Amino acid sequence: MKRRLLVLAAVVVSVLAGAPGVAHAEVAAPADFVNLAKVDPTILMDIRYKTAHNFVGRPVNGYVEPLCIVTRPAVQALKVVQAGLRRRGLSLKMYDCYRPQRAVDHFAAWAEDLGDTLTKAEFYPDVDKTTLFEDGYISYRSGHSRGSTVDLTIVRLPAAPQRPYVPGEPLVSCYAPVSRRFPDNTIDMGTGYDCFDPRANTFDPRIAGRPLANRLQLRDAMVAAGFRVYDLEWWHFTLVGEPFPDTYFDFPVARRSLVC
């Protein structure tokens, strides 16, 4: 109860400060948020923003632990998707779940720093960094901060080993053939995760055959479980009827943030 009151107090402060719907500097999540791994430990995790293998090129603010924190209704829907996939010898793998506002702010600051092109060769090889906001790749708000939006993919079981990313290693375009891209153990989706390129659009005409079929398999499973799609990013889904549609939370991604 004490943790819940802290969150509610933070929301009230933010409204009084003129930023309705944004909860700033919370230390704990509402009881409606849970650690997905505790509810369904069969779902695989690859929480990229806790690592240096992301478009920022370093661990992102607010990711204290590599956890997938989501709202309870989203967890139940993900369990349904996972059960169906496992019957076909497949599994979900989570790239990102709840994302604190401080992480979104980190992304925005990175995008505004035009001199930082450390990860361009992999994540946005054909996109000018000056257009990242205009093109919709970076925003000052994210549905992830509401707790019911997830980034994920599908892995064939048993999951193949995935080597760790080595900071400073040569980077390969996120839309290069799967045999050349970073050896993520996902089934081939036509691009890597967080690929800032039109080829990441679910129905980009250059994506066909098996990669398109794989995208549609993920899309169909998520829609059937109650998620709506964001077709500009094949990996991105939001729960229909999410419990916090207007609140953007900022508690850190850490076990200590959770009530249980």
Side-chain angles (χ1 to χ4, degrees):
M1 177 61 72
K2 183 177 180 181
R3 291 184 177 185
R4 191 179 185 89
L5 290 174
L6 285 170
V7 174
L8 292 174
V11 174
V12 171
V13 169
S14 71
V15 171
L16 294 175
V22 183
H24 292 287
E26 305 99 320
V27 296
D32 306 87
F33 285 79
V34 296
N35 179 356
L36 175 61
K38 291 187 67 174
V39 180
D40 191 338
T42 71
I43 297 177
L44 305 176
M45 301 289 161
D46 186 4
I47 307 301
R48 291 288 182 88
Y49 299 141
K50 179 64 177 72
T51 76
H53 191 204
N54 59 67
F55 61 85
V56 176
R58 57 188 63 87
V60 175
N61 294 347
Y63 287 82
V64 178
E65 297 177 81
L67 303 179
C68 173
I69 295 174
V70 281
T71 61
R72 292 182 188 277
V75 165
Q76 295 307 313
L78 289 169
K79 285 183 63 178
V80 171
V81 177
Q82 178 71 348
L85 289 177
R86 284 181 62 85
R87 286 194 291 269
R88 288 176 274 168
L90 304 168
S91 174
L92 289 175
K93 183 171 82 166
M94 314 304 297
Y95 287 126
D96 193 34
C97 302
Y98 159 74
R99 180 185 305 165
Q101 182 61 43
R102 70 194 73 183
V104 179
D105 296 342
H106 191 172
F107 293 167
W110 167 84
E112 292 167 348
D113 181 0
L114 301 182
D116 183 352
T117 57
L118 178 67
T119 66
K120 180 175 176 60
E122 179 173 358
F123 292 98
Y124 55 110
D126 296 335
V127 175
D128 191 312
K129 198 174 182 183
T130 61
T131 70
L132 291 179
F133 287 102
E134 177 185 347
D135 294 342
Y137 294 117
I138 301 293
S139 175
Y140 293 103
R141 295 278 184 91
S142 170
H144 284 273
S145 301
R146 303 192 301 261
S148 298
T149 294
V150 291
D151 294 343
L152 73 177
T153 189
I154 295 174
V155 173
R156 191 169 304 283
L157 297 174
Q162 179 177 308
R163 71 166 177 82
Y165 169 78
V166 179
E169 69 177 80
L171 301 180
V172 177
S173 167
C174 56
Y175 60 77
V178 66
S179 60
R180 293 182 49 214
R181 296 197 304 264
F182 178 81
D184 187 333
N185 60 2
T186 180
I187 60 178
D188 185 10
M189 295 292 189
T191 77
Y193 171 55
D194 264 354
C195 187
F196 295 171
D197 189 275
R199 294 171 181 82
N201 298 357
T202 302
F203 295 106
D204 185 274
R206 289 164 290 188
I207 305 299
R210 178 48 56 188
L212 176 58
N214 289 340
R215 290 182 180 192
L216 295 180
Q217 179 175 217
L218 175 61
R219 187 180 191 273
D220 292 348
M222 294 295 286
V223 169
F227 289 88
R228 66 177 179 269
V229 302
Y230 181 59
D231 277 329
L232 295 183
E233 298 174 343
W234 59 257
W235 54 81
H236 181 119
F237 300 87
T238 299
L239 184 70
V240 175
E242 56 184 306
F244 299 103
D246 301 310
T247 304
Y248 297 79
F249 293 96
D250 193 35
F251 57 86
V253 178
R255 289 178 178 84
R256 68 171 184 263
S257 298
L258 300 172
V259 173
C260 59

